């Protein structure tokens, strides 16, 4: 068994497979509006850029 993919080398197919598999409950909660994403401010060096995402 190889190493799990990381954010720099995971493919779109692998992400979709995870959303249909081990993260299906989380994906369903996001779809139903039951999940909140928190963008914290504990991000030294690029905190100013975070506000452009919102």
């Amino acid at each position: 068994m190889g190493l799990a993919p990381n954010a720099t080398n995971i493919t779109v197919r692998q992400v979709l497979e995870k959303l249909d598999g081990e993260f299906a409950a989380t994906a369903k909660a996001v779809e139903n509006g039951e999940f909140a994403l928190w963008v914290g401010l504990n991000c030294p060096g690029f905190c100013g850029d975070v506000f452009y995402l919102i």
Side-chain angles (χ1 to χ4, degrees):
M1 181 178 190
L3 294 174
N6 61 40
T8 60
N9 65 11
I10 194 168
T11 66
V12 172
R13 180 180 297 272
Q14 288 172 311
V15 170
L16 294 175
E17 287 171 355
K18 288 186 175 294
L19 291 174
D20 284 338
E22 64 188 284
F23 295 107
T26 302
K28 190 66 168 172
V30 171
E31 177 184 347
N32 293 334
E34 301 168 356
F35 193 90
L37 176 63
W38 173 258
V39 179
L41 294 179
N42 189 11
C43 49
F46 63 91
C47 287
D49 295 339
V50 170
F51 296 105
Y52 293 110
L53 297 174
I54 302 173

